[in-house]
Amino acid sequence: KGPGRFDWTYAEKKLKYFEEHSGDSKWIIRVRLGLLAEWWRHQHPDDVHNPPGGSNPNQSLSVANIASSVWSEEVCGLIREFTTWLKSTRWSSRIIGFMLNAGSTEEWLIFDTGDTYQGRYQSAYTREFRKWLKARYGGEASLRKAWRNPDVTFDMAECPTGQTRNGSHIWGLYTLRDPAHDRPAIDYYSFLNQTLAD
């Protein structure tokens, strides 16, 4: 309902229904984390798809940009609060696990694949990619050496576009990358894979 304010009414209704109709079964709870409430969409417009004033401003629920560290931190807090609440319910002994879903088709894939292949990235991607590069290389001298670019900085590094971005994809021209020439794309894919796995 707002920062640190949760309403578990929907979950309680579902759990009561399961209790009445599922005998003595055990449950794995599927939690869809990618959908965002309207207040979150307005508070963090750079971290959602369909931000306020976007292409579909009447949409009541937006989808998270799952590469966003802001979203990740807050959704982890949500999960902690939810599991704490569940432990206090009469159904806690029936719950044997959780299936956490987000992203495109709820499979932890980025939502705007088509846009990113064309080089259109939401600001969250660039922000998070730059943070990842700082952690990966430590200093700009290391980044410049790896990227073979004497002018690149952490504050100016961009997510790769065009052939640099698409070449190694299964729909691209080839599948292997030359680290001497394709390091920005290699780093982008490594950033994306590690971020989504985390």
Side-chain angles (χ1 to χ4, degrees):
K1 295 297 182 184
R5 293 174 35 231
F6 305 102
D7 178 0
W8 312 122
T9 305
Y10 176 78
E12 188 171 19
K13 179 180 175 183
K14 292 292 241 182
L15 293 169
K16 284 180 181 177
Y17 181 85
F18 296 156
E19 180 180 47
E20 293 170 8
H21 297 90
S22 66
D24 61 354
S25 64
K26 301 291 185 184
W27 306 332
I28 296 177
I29 306 295
R30 180 176 183 220
V31 185
R32 296 180 68 193
L33 301 170
L35 296 178
L36 302 170
E38 186 74 6
W39 70 266
W40 208 94
R41 171 183 174 224
H42 284 278
Q43 189 168 350
H44 304 284
D46 291 339
D47 297 276
V48 302
H49 299 280
N50 188 40
S55 61
N56 189 1
N58 296 319
Q59 185 174 330
S60 62
L61 290 177
S62 296
V63 179
N65 183 321
I66 59 176
S68 165
S69 61
V70 175
W71 171 79
S72 178
E73 182 178 329
E74 294 205 11
V75 84
C76 286
L78 167 74
I79 293 167
R80 283 190 291 274
E81 293 287 339
F82 184 53
T83 55
T84 298
W85 172 76
L86 283 171
K87 288 177 184 178
S88 72
T89 70
R90 67 180 181 269
W91 307 293
S92 62
S93 64
R94 300 184 74 165
I95 299 168
I96 59 172
F98 296 89
M99 180 179 175
L100 305 178
N101 301 87
S104 178
T105 66
E106 298 293 318
E107 295 175 295
W108 296 100
L109 304 172
I110 61 172
F111 193 80
D112 53 351
T113 302
D115 285 340
T116 62
Y117 283 139
Q118 296 178 37
R120 294 190 303 264
Y121 294 92
Q122 289 186 300
S123 60
Y125 289 113
T126 303
R127 180 189 71 218
E128 300 300 333
F129 184 49
R130 289 173 178 172
K131 283 170 46 178
W132 184 90
L133 288 171
K134 286 179 186 177
R136 164 81 170 85
Y137 289 105
E140 288 180 341
S142 297
L143 175 66
R144 290 177 179 135
K145 182 178 178 183
W147 282 28
R148 294 186 177 205
N149 180 346
D151 300 319
V152 69
T153 67
F154 291 130
D155 292 335
M156 294 174 50
E158 297 291 335
C159 297
T161 61
Q163 183 59 32
T164 303
R165 164 72 162 85
N166 296 335
S168 71
H169 191 268
I170 58 172
W171 296 301
L173 300 177
Y174 50 90
T175 57
L176 299 177
R177 290 280 190 181
D178 180 353
H181 302 288
D182 299 319
R183 181 54 61 185
I186 292 169
D187 281 344
Y188 173 77
Y189 280 110
S190 296
F191 148 73
L192 195 59
N193 291 338
Q194 289 177 17
T195 298
L196 298 185
D198 287 346

